[in-house]
Amino acid sequence: MPVILVLSAATYFLSRKAQLKATHAITCGALGFYLADTSLATSIHSAGANLLGMIGQVGP
């Protein structure tokens, strides 16, 4: 499952249930774009892939 779908779904549910403001979501998205240009991008990508892999293995 692509990470962007998971993050989009999380943002949607947080905006509906936890009163996440649109400006907060935009700020988080902008931070993601800035982080993608840093040397941390590969570490963040591999950590996210590992996390999603572990979550995928937990199911029945």
Side-chain angles (χ1 to χ4, degrees), residues 15-36:
S15 67
R16 292 292 179 201
K17 299 294 180 188
Q19 276 70 35
L20 178 72
K21 305 242 185 283
T23 54
H24 297 150
I26 291 169
T27 303
C28 290
L31 175 64
F33 280 107
Y34 284 116
L35 281 175

Side-chain angles (χ1 to χ4, degrees), residues 1-57:
M1 176 180 287
V3 176
I4 192 70
L5 292 177
V6 173
L7 293 175
S8 297
T11 303
Y12 174 77
F13 288 117
L14 284 172
S15 67
R16 292 292 179 201
K17 299 294 180 188
Q19 276 70 35
L20 178 72
K21 305 242 185 283
T23 54
H24 297 150
I26 291 169
T27 303
C28 290
L31 175 64
F33 280 107
Y34 284 116
L35 281 175
D37 288 337
T38 66
S39 61
L40 292 174
T42 55
S43 299
I44 293 169
H45 177 66
S46 62
N50 289 337
L51 179 65
L52 287 177
M54 289 187 317
I55 291 172
Q57 292 177 353

